[in-house]
Amino acid sequence: MSVRVNWRQSVAFTGTVIKYLAVAMLVPLAIGLLYGEDTVVFLLSIGIAVGVGLLLERLEDDPQLGAREALLFVAIAWGAVAVVGAIPYVLAGYGTDSALRLPVNALFESMSGFTTTGATVTAEISFEQHSHALLMWRQLTQWLGGMGIIVLMVAILPEAAVNGAQLIDSEAPGPELQKLTPKIAETARLLWLFYLGFTVLYVCILVALHYAGMAPNMDVYNAVAHGFTTLPTGGFSPQADSIAAFSPAVQWVVIPFMLVAGMNFALFYLLLQDEYAAFLRDRELRAYLGANAGVAVILWGLLFTGSAPPLELGGVTQGALENSLRQATFQVASLLNSTGYATSDFAQWGTTAQGVLLFAMFIGGSAGSTGGGVKIVRWIVVIKSIRRQLFTTSHPDAVKPVRLGGHVIDEGVIQAIYGFTLLYLLTFGVATVLILLDAGRVGLEMTVLEAVSASLATLGNIGPGFGFLGPFGSYLDFPATSKLLMIFLMWIGRLEIIPVFVMFTGAFWNR
C-alpha cells in the first residue's frame, strides 16, 4: 500500500514561515521611516506576506511532519521566502528604470540574498537610485538565510520544535549538525545566539573604528548593513565597491570575522565549556584554517612578485608588502567560504592568480557554518578514502577504516559524501554547458572561464565570478532563461542538492 506525501501539511508550514517573514520586514520599514523612503513599499509587502501566510496556514493544522513532508517543507519554504522577499524590489522599482522592477531580476536578487550567494543584477551605477530601506532589506535577507530560516523557526516556534531534528537535517544535510543540548530547539537557539553575538561584536568594532577616525565611511548604517552580510558569508554591500570602499583598517577587521563565519558554530560551545584543547584539536577546523593560510600564501607570493597586474589601490600598488598580503588574505578568506566580498577587482588579476582563487572557491566552509560550497569536511573524507583505496589495492586482505578525529566514519556516510560530491560536480558541469549555450543563443559574448565561474558561483552560493562577473560586475546581462537556471542553482546549492533532487524521484511521492 502506497502512502502519498501530505503536501498540504508542508505548504501550511510554509505559510507560517511567510507570516513571520513580515516581522523581519519591520526593520527596513523602520529605516524607511527614518530616512523618509519606501515606507509604503514595505507596508504593502508586510500586508501581502501576512495575508499569504495566513491563507496558506489554513490548508492544514496538523503539527506533525513526516520525514518526506519535512524535506518538502524545507524546499518549498526556501523558494517561497525568496518569492515573497522579491516583492519589495518589484514595488520599489515600479515606475523607475531599476532592473529590480522586473520579476525575474527581483527574484534573482532575493534568492541570492536568502541563500547568501551575493550574486547581483544591480549594476554599479544603480546603487544610488535605491533607498536606504531597500538596500537594508537586501542586506537583512542574507542575515536571515545565513544560520538558516528553518533553524530560526525551530528556535522560536513550538510547533516547529516538534519536528526540529527532521527540519534541521533537511535544511543542512550532509555532515550532521552536532546536537549541543538534549533538546534540538535549545541547540538551535544556542547556534543563533552565537550568530547574533558575533554579529553584534562585529558591528560594534566597525562603529568604534569609525568614531576613532580609522574608518571615515563606516557609519552606523554601513556597519549594521555589513554586519548583516559578513557573518552569514553573504557578500552583499550597499556600496558598489564592496569592502574596497573602506579603509585598510576595516578590511583587516573583516578578515577574522569571515574566517569565524566559515567555522563550525558548534565548536564555540566547546569554548563555553572551557574545552580549549578539544576546540584546537578539531580536524576540520585545522584543515579549514590551514587551507585558508596555504592558499593565501600562494596568492600573496603571486601578487607580491608582480605575477598579477599591479593595480593601483588607494595609492599603493599590489607589489607593496602590506597591500599584497591584505588583498591575498582577504580574497582567499572571502571566496573559500563563499562570502564574496572584494577589496579589489580580482577579475583583472593574472590568469595564475585567478586560477588560485577558482581553486579556493571549490573548497567551501566547514559543516555547521554559514559557508557554502562542497564543505571542507567532505574533501577530507574523500581524500582519506582515496588513500584507503590505494592502500587496500596493494593489501587486499587489510581492514583499514576511514577515521576522522579519532572516530571511525561509517561506510554509509562515506558513500553519501561521494554521492553528494559527484552530483555537485555533475550539476556544476551541466549548468556550465547550459549557460554557454544560452549565451550563444542570444549573442552574449562569454568565455569558458566566465561560464564556469557563473555556474560555480551560484551553485556554491559564492557570488562573484570572473570577467564581467567580477566582484564589481553584475549578472544583469544574462538572458532571463540563464537567470532562472541560476536561481535554481542557488536554491539547490543552499539546500545541498540532494533534498531537492530527491523530490524529482517517483519513490519520494509514493512509498
Side-chain angles (χ1 to χ4, degrees):
M1 178 179 176
S2 64
V3 180
R4 294 186 178 275
V5 174
N6 186 352
W7 62 268
R8 294 170 65 92
Q9 202 174 16
S10 302
V11 173
F13 262 84
T14 299
T16 302
V17 174
I18 292 173
K19 182 180 69 176
Y20 283 101
L21 185 63
V23 177
M25 291 183 181
L26 293 175
V27 174
L29 176 61
I31 298 294
L33 291 171
L34 180 64
Y35 287 92
E37 306 166 330
D38 282 345
T39 53
V40 174
V41 166
F42 283 98
L43 283 172
L44 287 174
S45 299
I46 289 171
I48 293 171
V50 172
V52 171
L54 291 174
L55 184 64
L56 294 180
E57 278 186 325
R58 295 173 63 88
L59 289 175
E60 183 68 70
D61 57 3
D62 184 359
Q64 293 289 342
L65 287 173
R68 291 182 297 166
E69 284 79 11
L71 280 172
L72 182 60
F73 159 61
V74 169
I76 293 176
W78 275 89
V81 295
V83 172
V84 175
I87 293 173
Y89 296 129
V90 176
L91 294 178
Y94 180 76
T96 72
D97 61 349
S98 169
L100 295 179
R101 74 189 187 281
L102 301 175
V104 171
N105 288 341
L107 181 58
F108 184 99
E109 201 79 6
S110 182
M111 182 65 79
S112 180
F114 281 107
T115 59
T116 72
T117 302
T120 183
V121 292
T122 304
E124 181 177 353
I125 58 174
S126 65
F127 273 82
E128 295 181 358
Q129 75 182 51
H130 297 306
S131 69
H132 289 82
L134 189 68
L135 290 176
M136 187 61 79
W137 172 242
R138 183 173 175 264
Q139 303 295 109
L140 182 59
T141 57
Q142 295 203 319
W143 194 75
L144 293 172
M147 184 55 66
I149 296 170
I150 310 304
V151 176
L152 178 59
M153 292 296 103
V154 170
I156 64 176
L157 297 180
E159 59 265 38
V162 173
N163 307 279
Q166 290 179 337
L167 297 180
I168 291 177
D169 285 345
S170 300
E171 184 176 50
E176 293 183 0
L177 175 70
Q178 185 176 344
K179 194 173 180 181
L180 307 180
T181 59
K183 295 182 179 180
I184 193 67
E186 293 178 359
T187 297
R189 281 192 286 271
L190 195 57
L191 291 174
W192 263 90
L193 284 174
F194 286 142
Y195 186 54
L196 175 62
F198 280 120
T199 301
V200 172
L201 175 63
Y202 175 65
V203 171
C204 289
I205 292 175
L206 293 180
V207 172
L209 285 178
H210 172 70
Y211 285 106
M214 300 174 67
N217 300 333
M218 186 58 75
D219 54 18
V220 175
Y221 176 87
N222 273 304
V224 173
H226 289 91
F228 281 154
T229 58
T230 300
L231 270 302
T233 66
F236 273 163
S237 172
Q239 302 296 324
D241 290 337
S242 188
I243 306 300
F246 303 100
S247 66
V250 170
Q251 296 171 20
W252 279 116
V253 166
V254 174
I255 291 170
F257 281 95
M258 288 194 296
L259 291 174
V260 165
M263 297 179 188
N264 187 340
F265 275 72
L267 289 177
F268 298 115
Y269 185 71
L270 296 177
L271 297 181
L272 289 181
Q273 302 298 311
D274 294 330
E275 298 182 25
Y276 303 108
F279 177 86
L280 295 174
R281 284 198 307 268
D282 185 78
R283 182 69 181 86
E284 184 184 21
L285 175 63
R286 289 187 293 171
Y288 169 71
L289 295 177
N292 271 280
V295 179
V297 167
I298 295 171
L299 185 59
W300 180 27
L302 292 173
L303 296 178
F304 184 65
T305 59
S307 297
L311 305 178
E312 291 287 341
L313 293 167
V316 184
T317 64
Q318 289 277 1
L321 179 64
E322 183 274 338
N323 197 36
S324 58
L325 176 61
R326 173 163 38 87
Q327 304 300 333
T329 307
F330 189 100
Q331 289 310 152
V332 170
S334 176
L335 295 183
L336 188 145
N337 72 4
S338 82
T339 302
Y341 280 150
T343 52
S344 66
D345 189 0
F346 54 76
Q348 302 300 318
W349 290 358
T351 304
T352 305
Q354 291 186 25
V356 171
L357 291 177
L358 187 65
F359 171 76
M361 291 164 71
F362 271 102
I363 297 176
S366 305
S369 74
T370 62
V374 174
K375 299 290 191 303
I376 198 163
V377 68
R378 288 192 176 100
W379 290 121
I380 295 173
V381 173
V382 167
I383 292 170
K384 283 179 171 287
S385 63
I386 290 174
R387 288 174 56 190
R388 191 262 302 270
Q389 184 62 44
L390 294 175
F391 179 84
T392 56
T393 298
S394 56
H395 300 80
D397 296 328
V399 177
K400 187 176 177 64
V402 176
R403 298 178 182 272
L404 183 64
H407 302 286
V408 176
I409 303 175
D410 185 79
E411 292 299 319
V413 172
I414 296 175
Q415 292 177 11
I417 288 174
Y418 266 106
F420 168 84
T421 306
L422 178 61
L423 189 57
Y424 185 96
L425 295 176
L426 181 63
T427 303
F428 155 70
V430 171
T432 300
V433 173
L434 292 177
I435 290 170
L436 276 172
L437 291 175
D438 203 30
R441 179 183 64 84
V442 298
L444 176 64
E445 292 186 7
M446 180 182 297
T447 65
V448 173
L449 178 61
E450 289 167 341
V452 165
S453 65
S455 176
L456 181 59
T458 49
L459 179 63
N461 304 132
I462 297 166
F466 299 106
F468 70 91
L469 301 175
F472 307 137
S474 167
Y475 287 71
L476 181 61
D477 292 335
F478 279 102
T481 44
S482 286
K483 289 173 186 172
L484 289 171
L485 171 61
M486 288 185 277
I487 288 169
F488 176 74
L489 292 176
M490 289 187 279
W491 178 49
I492 66 173
R494 177 58 180 82
L495 297 178
E496 300 203 331
I497 302 178
I498 291 177
V500 177
F501 280 177
V502 73
M503 292 189 300
F504 292 95
T505 64
F508 176 82
W509 297 99
N510 293 286
R511 183 176 59 194

